[in-house]
Amino acid sequence: MFVTFEGIDGSGKSTQLRLLADHLQAKGHEVIVTREPGGSKGAEDIRRLLVEGDPGRWSAETEILLFTAARRDHVERLIQPGLAAGAIVVSDRFADSTRVYQGATRGDLRATVDALHARMIAMEPDLTLVIDMDPDAALARGLARQSGEDRFEDFGAAFQRKLRDGFLALTEEYPDRVRLVDGSRDREAVAADVAAIVDAALAARPS
Ligand code: TMP
């Protein structure tokens, strides 16, 4: 099973991903934890180009190409082999981030994102958890980290609000795959919801 976490910067999704991985490992599953952009050597190299530097460093169109190139390497070298070996692969972001960050924030580029995805990636997660957060609170948290990877946070609060709307729209576009989780609660409550959703999805799969 391929599970992804999505949400705006600072939504808490990376913490929730780790807690889910612990939960699944404790139940005896083999789990591969990964992230985008990144997850393979080549994709981690591309990551640095994307998350560091000025917001205006790349156009949205160039970003689509770079994120998709990183994703292709990640899928070829880690995700597909991991799934083929029977692991649960859990990724911090995947193609939904490109649909929202590049497809819906700086002009309507969704058709371009979809065309390249169909040609070069052509796979979707089995389950996607969108961790929903108030954009102002999330932005404060994201910038407070001072990770040096703030290029997208530096687009500002209005950008983060557009992102949130984009992620909420995905739950309507893909109701069978994308589940919304209220990330404003304490992390144990959020983690309990996440675990329940994933456990139910695992139980529903044909063995
Ligand atoms: P992260 O901070 O969650 O590791 O993600 C890195 C940044 O890259 C984050 O600001 C979101 C952005 N991003 C996109 O803009 N498009 C994408 O396709 C992906 C995977 C991430």
Side-chain angles (χ1 to χ4, degrees):
M1 184 156 97
F2 181 29
V3 181
T4 58
F5 281 76
E6 297 281 359
I8 60 177
D9 302 284
S11 60
K13 65 183 169 40
S14 308
T15 303
Q16 290 302 324
L17 182 147
R18 280 194 300 277
L19 293 171
L20 175 67
D22 292 346
H23 168 78
L24 292 173
Q25 275 158 350
K27 288 180 64 179
H29 294 287
E30 195 199 325
V31 182
I32 294 175
V33 171
T34 187
R35 68 168 181 181
E36 289 209 346
S40 61
K41 164 82 176 69
E44 290 288 337
D45 289 345
I46 297 172
R47 177 185 178 95
R48 277 188 289 282
L49 298 174
L50 283 159
V51 300
E52 296 173 9
D54 285 352
R57 182 177 184 183
W58 310 110
S59 68
E61 287 84 348
T62 310
E63 284 172 15
I64 292 170
L65 293 166
L66 289 169
F67 278 112
T68 307
R71 181 163 305 126
R72 173 76 196 204
D73 194 62
H74 187 205
V75 167
E76 282 178 6
R77 291 172 196 265
L78 187 78
I79 297 176
Q80 290 291 18
L83 294 173
I88 300 177
V89 177
V90 188
S91 184
D92 191 341
R93 300 192 184 281
F94 190 66
D96 292 319
S97 280
T98 316
R99 292 182 175 115
V100 175
Y101 278 77
Q102 282 69 44
T105 52
R106 285 161 288 166
D108 184 3
L109 290 173
R110 181 60 197 272
T112 306
V113 171
D114 286 348
L116 202 56
H117 180 79
R119 182 85 192 175
M120 284 294 151
I121 308 298
M123 70 177 291
E124 299 296 340
D126 298 297
L127 179 65
T128 297
L129 298 143
V130 170
I131 309 296
D132 185 46
M133 260 297 269
D134 170 62
D136 294 319
L139 187 60
R141 187 150 88 184
L143 288 174
R145 270 190 226 132
Q146 296 197 314
S147 62
E149 294 191 335
D150 297 334
R151 185 168 159 257
F152 287 93
E153 276 105 326
D154 289 342
F155 277 101
F159 183 78
Q160 296 293 326
R161 279 192 281 278
K162 268 195 196 169
L163 292 175
R164 184 198 207 178
D165 292 345
F167 282 118
L168 293 179
L170 285 179
T171 64
E172 283 163 29
E173 187 177 351
Y174 302 104
D176 295 340
R177 170 173 70 83
V178 182
R179 301 287 302 272
L180 191 68
V181 177
D182 175 3
S184 66
R185 298 162 300 153
D186 65 68
R187 68 180 210 166
E188 284 71 26
V190 179
D193 273 11
V194 167
I197 292 169
V198 176
D199 286 347
L202 279 168
R205 285 171 75 80
S207 48

